[in-house]
Amino acid sequence: MAEGFLMEVCVDSVESAINAERGGAGRLELCSSLLEGGLTPSLGLLQIVKQYVKIPVYVMIRPRGGDFLYSDREVEVMRKDVELMKSHGADGLVLGALTEDGRVDAELCMEFLAAARPLPVTFHRAFDMVHDPAVALETLVSLGFQRVLTSGCDTSALEGLPVIKRLIDQAKGRIAIMPGGGITERNLQRILEGSGAQEFHCSARSSKDSAMKFRNTSVTMGASFSAPEYGLKVADVCKVRTLNAIAKNTL
């Protein structure tokens, strides 16, 4: 990990977790279904990843894709997932919830934070869907979140760089602002220098062909936008190392 910067890599497999640590990641965000922005992983995945890596593993708590307005039954699932991930070795949690008018659901988040304690909790990119980022940030500070992951409420962290910079200035060290969303070796230095962030979030993935020899190419397991059946996305050690080197050179 680069001195002065912390690189968090989002992963959805044991292989990606191992590769991210080898490349110099300082923390993992463990998910399933990164194609949907990351959902709650299985307990099996958490337990096996913890066997193979030593860096902190923060677990995503998100029961489905789509928006961040949750039904009572979805909240029940999230409560149980917080309980289970906490009791099975998670080093931190990543979650978020909004009200129908685009504000942080302070009541629900307060409940989740209390259940997660003493684990640190990151508010995820639900933040990028809020009505007023400045107001939302103050809510997160008052609730006690350790950090917020954000693309600056834009399509990528590079596009949202001005907002990220304003959020860091507003936070004044009360909460960590972690840029994420489309961060690559081509734009990382600009994002770090332009924002003043001390942490950043990336996937650093490359495509990997399936080892399957027999292939039925007429069948897909999901919707048309889903990942190819015979292609995998895996965290790339070289990409992680490159991002780490860029962060070091930005100091």
Side-chain angles (χ1 to χ4, degrees), residues 61-98:
I61 304 294
R62 187 180 175 213
R64 57 161 173 78
D67 66 34
F68 303 99
L69 179 64
Y70 296 113
S71 69
D72 290 345
R73 288 177 179 175
E74 288 169 339
V75 169
E76 285 185 50
V77 173
M78 295 171 78
R79 286 192 191 109
K80 179 56 68 172
D81 282 337
V82 168
E83 174 190 328
L84 290 171
M85 297 303 173
K86 178 182 174 182
S87 64
H88 285 81
D91 298 295
L93 300 176
V94 182
L95 55 84
L98 303 180

Side-chain angles (χ1 to χ4, degrees), residues 6 62 88 131 136 188 212 223 251:
L6 189 145
R62 187 180 175 213
H88 285 81
H131 178 261
L188 175 60
M212 287 290 296
L251 288 171

Side-chain angles (χ1 to χ4, degrees), residues 7 24 27 41 43 51 54 68 117 121 125 163 191 199 203 214:
M7 173 170 49
R27 183 173 62 232
L43 281 175
Q51 288 179 21
K54 296 180 180 178
F68 303 99
R117 203 171 288 125
V121 182
R125 288 189 61 201
V163 172
I191 290 168
E199 304 184 4
S203 62
F214 172 77

Side-chain angles (χ1 to χ4, degrees), residues 208-224:
K208 175 183 176 182
D209 193 40
S210 167
M212 287 290 296
K213 293 181 179 178
F214 172 77
R215 303 187 179 198
N216 183 353
T217 56
S218 64
V219 177
T220 60
M221 294 294 109
S224 58

Side-chain angles (χ1 to χ4, degrees), residues 24 45 68 71 76 84 114 138 141 148 153:
L45 180 58
F68 303 99
S71 69
E76 285 185 50
L84 290 171
E138 293 302 320
V141 170
V148 55
C153 305

